[in-house]
Amino acid sequence: MAKSKTGGKTRRMTTKKKPIEAETRRPAPARAKPTPPAAGGDSLGKYVYCVIQADDPQRFGPIGIGAKPSEVHTINYKDIAAVVSDTPLEVYDPTRENVLAHEKVNEAVMRQRTVIPMSFGTVFKTRDDIVELLRGAYDAFRDVLNKMEDKLEFGLKILWDRDVMIREIEKQDEDVRRLKGEIATQKGSTYFARVQYGRLVDAALGTLSERYVSEIFSELRDVSVASRANKAIGDKMILNAAFLVSRDQEAAFDKKVKELGARYDKLTFRYTGPWPPYNFVNIRLKLERAKDTK
Amino acid sequence: MARTYAMARFVYPSKVLMLRGSPATSLLDVLDRVLDKGIVIDAWVRVSLVGIDLITVEASIVVASIETYHHHFDAMALRTPAVRRAA
């Protein structure tokens, strides 16, 4: 849904009030009504999904972001291109629909090409701006496209049930078991026993998760090009990783993940992909006005 | 936090949950990626782009060499958290 700026991120707060914004606050009517746009030309901007290698203009169908999905096409510069669709000039909030639309286009393009994904929510005003973007960062895009060629990203999150693991630890660790017994039977204060027990269990959990993670990682290392560990979310997650895999190793990687999932039957594997290589591309662009256009 | 729990319960029936190319891909997994990864345009300008006719681009950081990620991973793996203080 093409909503304007309600709720959302703090960064949107910095939006400067500009005449054109007032106009785009209600995107649909703005498009329907013959309101004269503030700047010359039409009031449509271009939403950018990703950058690809392409010698000729491409079309990917009417799967664009927004309430009325428009044709996804390319804007080309030399042998690279931005994949875009026309959109009202507005800020897209990361709603479920918007975010999935962004991802869906990336996935569709990825079926045919190597993509460098754009982060969510980038709208340019004109075609020329996008050509300028491609021209200005051409070397960086070219370099990354070469590095990412025929590679896919897979996500792997590994979760465990902490209580199950603690029971496991109690079974195996004599000290933990003894302390637990003391806490259960001891008369009077069990404070010190409980502190000691907590410390031992924590340490054992830490060791265990490290062991699992490094074992699993070393197995996947041979079937991937690169990997990256992101911060684990919540106390059930022991690994939140992304792997970059060549297309020709995809089957091998896949097989290995399933094999590991079966072997570590106390862990839960959450395996996703293929994704565009979000976790392996980091291009920060600073855009500036070439001149004061005021 | 609540989300994490919901997700975990959701995965439990099968130990390796494949979400490859399926429409069930969770929003969380998508959000993890699209919000601040890939090509990122300076946030302030992203909003104020509206109204800029001509831009210059400055690629401040380009992709780190692929090989370094393995090292990065090793370092991260050594201090995997997931341990919460037992109350």
Side-chain angles (χ1 to χ4, degrees), chain A residues 155-166:
Chain A
L156 182 62
K157 289 177 175 166
I158 299 182
L159 305 128
W160 69 9
D161 186 325
R162 213 166 167 275
D163 297 336
V164 170
M165 300 323 292
I166 291 174

Side-chain angles (χ1 to χ4, degrees), chain A residues 11-28:
Chain A
R11 64 168 182 264
R12 310 224 186 275
M13 301 303 201
T14 58
T15 309
K16 283 203 169 174
K17 283 246 166 78
K18 289 189 180 170
I20 194 158
E21 257 217 287
E23 178 194 294
T24 53
R25 195 156 287 151
R26 292 159 177 274

Side-chain angles (χ1 to χ4, degrees), chain A residues 15 20 117 119-120 129 132 153 157 162 202 210 238 250 254 269-271 273 280 282-283 285, chain B residues 15 17-18 20 29 33-34 36 39-40 42 46-47 50 52-53 55-56 60-61 63 78 80 84:
Chain A
T15 309
I20 194 158
S119 66
F120 176 84
D129 285 343
E132 185 59 27
E153 176 177 322
K157 289 177 175 166
R162 213 166 167 275
D202 268 3
E210 265 168 37
I238 61 169
E250 189 187 343
D254 202 80
F269 283 47
R270 186 183 170 87
Y271 172 40
F280 300 94
N282 181 13
I283 302 179
L285 298 177
Chain B
K15 284 296 178 183
L17 187 79
M18 296 279 297
R20 305 190 36 191
D29 285 308
R33 290 178 167 78
V34 306
D36 61 351
I39 306 167
V40 182
D42 178 81
R46 193 191 308 179
V47 178
V50 177
I52 292 180
D53 289 312
I55 54 164
T56 56
S60 358
I61 305 169
V63 66
L78 289 179
T80 306
R84 200 185 48 177

Side-chain angles (χ1 to χ4, degrees), chain A residues 9-74:
Chain A
K9 300 262 174 179
T10 43
R11 64 168 182 264
R12 310 224 186 275
M13 301 303 201
T14 58
T15 309
K16 283 203 169 174
K17 283 246 166 78
K18 289 189 180 170
I20 194 158
E21 257 217 287
E23 178 194 294
T24 53
R25 195 156 287 151
R26 292 159 177 274
R31 197 148 39 148
K33 263 191 269 167
T35 324
D42 55 328
S43 63
L44 287 185
K46 294 192 182 288
Y47 185 100
V48 185
Y49 302 91
C50 52
V51 172
I52 60 173
Q53 142 119 46
D55 294 316
D56 306 299
Q58 308 285 321
R59 303 186 84 79
F60 297 97
I63 53 172
I65 195 168
K68 295 174 189 164
S70 60
E71 180 74 20
V72 172
H73 59 280
T74 57

Side-chain angles (χ1 to χ4, degrees), chain A residues 272-289:
Chain A
T272 56
W275 298 94
Y278 281 108
N279 278 288
F280 300 94
V281 176
N282 181 13
I283 302 179
R284 309 270 142 177
L285 298 177
K286 203 172 276 169
L287 308 186
E288 293 163 8
R289 279 172 208 257

